[in-house]
Amino acid sequence: MNDNPSRYRAAFRDVAVGQRFYDPVSEEYFVKQSDGMAAMVTGPGDGSVPDEFEADDVVGIDH
């Protein structure tokens, strides 16, 4: 995740509902839907299928 200098690390719990973030595991962007769910909005995702995230999962937030 260090290859993008305009991205900083955050825990999934610190992402606001509705905020877009980068998942370094899948290497795709998601939008947070609730405390434990987000939907992929890049790659094969169209934002319609939720995926589970743990509160401590490390994600990236673009500036």
Side-chain angles (χ1 to χ4, degrees):
M1 202 161 48
N2 293 336
D3 59 342
N4 187 339
S6 63
R7 182 178 298 142
Y8 68 92
R9 297 177 135 209
F12 179 74
R13 73 170 145 285
D14 298 328
V15 177
V17 172
Q19 185 174 4
R20 179 178 156 133
F21 65 91
Y22 179 78
D23 175 34
V25 174
S26 66
E27 298 181 345
E28 298 291 349
Y29 282 91
F30 287 75
V31 171
K32 186 171 181 176
Q33 296 179 320
S34 68
D35 286 341
M37 303 296 277
M40 186 185 299
V41 294
T42 59
D46 63 0
S48 65
V49 180
D51 195 3
E52 285 186 290
F53 281 83
E54 299 293 326
D56 293 335
D57 286 348
V58 175
V59 299
I61 308 291
D62 292 344
H63 295 259

